[in-house]
Amino acid sequence: EPEVTQTPSHQVTQMGQEVILRCVPISNHLYFYWYRQILGQKVEFLVSFYNNEISEKSEIFDDQFSVERPDGSNFTLKIRSTKLEDSAMYFCASSEWDSINHNEQFFGPGTRLTVL
Amino acid sequence: AQKVTQAQTEISVVEKEDVTLDCVYETRDTTYYLFWYKQPPSGELVFLIRRNSFDEQNEISGRYSWNFQKSTSSFNFTITASQVVDSAVYFCALSEIAGGGADGLTFGKGTHLIIQP
């Protein structure tokens, strides 16, 4: 069964450093998403991406964040200068959005980011 | 703005008991989707069900059942004859339909379900 994959599973970085989180969405999906879950809290939407551009973004997704689809398979989230409060689990998701599978988002296993 | 409320932070029951997880939502949209996801201790998010606002039929899948009531803006989830493997955090979520696939999900804070042997 196809699945969303994410690498690395755990990333540790120093405050102020740039990090890139990687995702490989399901191959025939057209919509891609990033979510964040601070430990013990709810999952929060960051951004959605379609047709090589950002479709929607939340207030959390400020200038420190960017997303990119550098090739036909990867989808990345970059945090330019990490802060302590960026420590969280980051989930990538993808969906195909058709008349049957409306917005059924499949989530990857997550990348745990720890900022020291 | 959309909002999902899961008032039960934690529920603990003994195995084989039935348990209902509550979800109340707010949205100004007339068309929307509701979801339930399971997050086991390993951390991944497992899709359980999607329901659109046009379809108020209740759904049953094995030991799981969902009760959608538009009149009370609720989408409750019942596990019948609970098992230890059901122990997890369960999230209710909401998304618009009008925005197409671009809309992110709005999640509730989750209910931590503990099934004791």
Side-chain angles (χ1 to χ4, degrees):
Chain A
E1 186 174 322
E3 57 183 19
V4 177
T5 59
Q6 291 185 243
T7 54
S9 56
H10 190 190
Q11 173 98 41
V12 181
T13 189
Q14 296 288 328
M15 192 168 57
Q17 295 294 306
E18 173 184 288
V19 294
I20 297 176
L21 310 182
R22 291 185 166 79
C23 168
V24 179
I26 294 173
S27 62
N28 64 331
H29 284 186
L30 302 176
Y31 292 87
F32 315 117
Y33 315 82
W34 283 103
Y35 291 82
R36 177 182 83 177
Q37 185 182 30
I38 295 171
L39 186 64
Q41 298 187 24
K42 67 178 178 181
V43 180
E44 299 172 293
F45 169 71
L46 293 177
V47 66
S48 62
F49 192 86
Y50 171 72
N51 199 25
N52 284 318
E53 59 183 27
I54 290 174
S55 295
E56 300 274 343
K57 60 181 181 179
S58 71
E59 292 174 352
I60 303 168
F61 193 86
D62 60 23
D63 293 343
Q64 290 294 325
F65 292 93
S66 62
V67 289
E68 192 179 30
R69 188 147 162 87
D71 52 45
S73 59
N74 289 284
F75 178 52
T76 62
L77 173 70
K78 182 194 291 187
I79 308 176
R80 244 178 287 284
S81 176
T82 50
K83 308 188 214 35
L84 295 176
E85 53 265 37
D86 292 327
S87 294
M89 181 77 93
Y90 289 81
F91 290 103
C92 174
S94 69
S95 74
E96 54 183 323
W97 184 261
D98 60 21
S99 60
I100 298 172
N101 297 309
H102 308 289
N103 206 15
E104 181 176 336
Q105 296 182 22
F106 292 82
F107 283 80
T111 292
R112 179 162 298 286
L113 176 66
T114 302
V115 182
L116 303 176
Chain B
Q2 300 174 333
K3 186 178 178 183
V4 176
T5 301
Q6 295 179 257
Q8 303 150 310
T9 306
E10 184 175 290
I11 300 175
S12 181
V13 300
V14 176
E15 200 172 20
K16 296 184 185 174
E17 286 185 14
D18 299 348
V19 59
T20 295
L21 309 182
D22 297 332
C23 173
V24 174
Y25 62 91
E26 295 173 31
T27 179
R28 283 179 287 194
D29 299 311
T30 55
T31 55
Y32 48 88
Y33 289 112
L34 295 163
F35 304 80
W36 277 94
Y37 284 86
K38 175 182 180 180
Q39 187 174 45
S42 48
E44 72 271 25
L45 286 167
V46 178
F47 169 82
L48 296 178
I49 190 172
R50 178 191 66 248
R51 168 68 73 225
N52 74 52
S53 53
F54 299 122
D55 183 3
E56 287 195 68
Q57 278 193 334
N58 292 330
E59 181 154 340
I60 298 174
S61 175
R63 295 184 297 107
Y64 295 171
S65 62
W66 290 270
N67 182 357
F68 175 32
Q69 293 201 351
K70 212 166 174 178
S71 59
T72 56
S73 298
S74 65
F75 186 44
N76 296 337
F77 172 33
T78 298
I79 301 175
T80 303
S82 58
Q83 300 174 2
V84 172
V85 294
D86 295 327
S87 297
V89 180
Y90 289 85
F91 290 98
C92 181
L94 169 75
S95 79
E96 295 178 352
I97 294 179
D103 295 299
L105 305 183
T106 299
F107 283 82
K109 290 186 177 179
T111 296
H112 185 197
L113 179 62
I114 301 167
I115 310 298
Q116 298 180 19

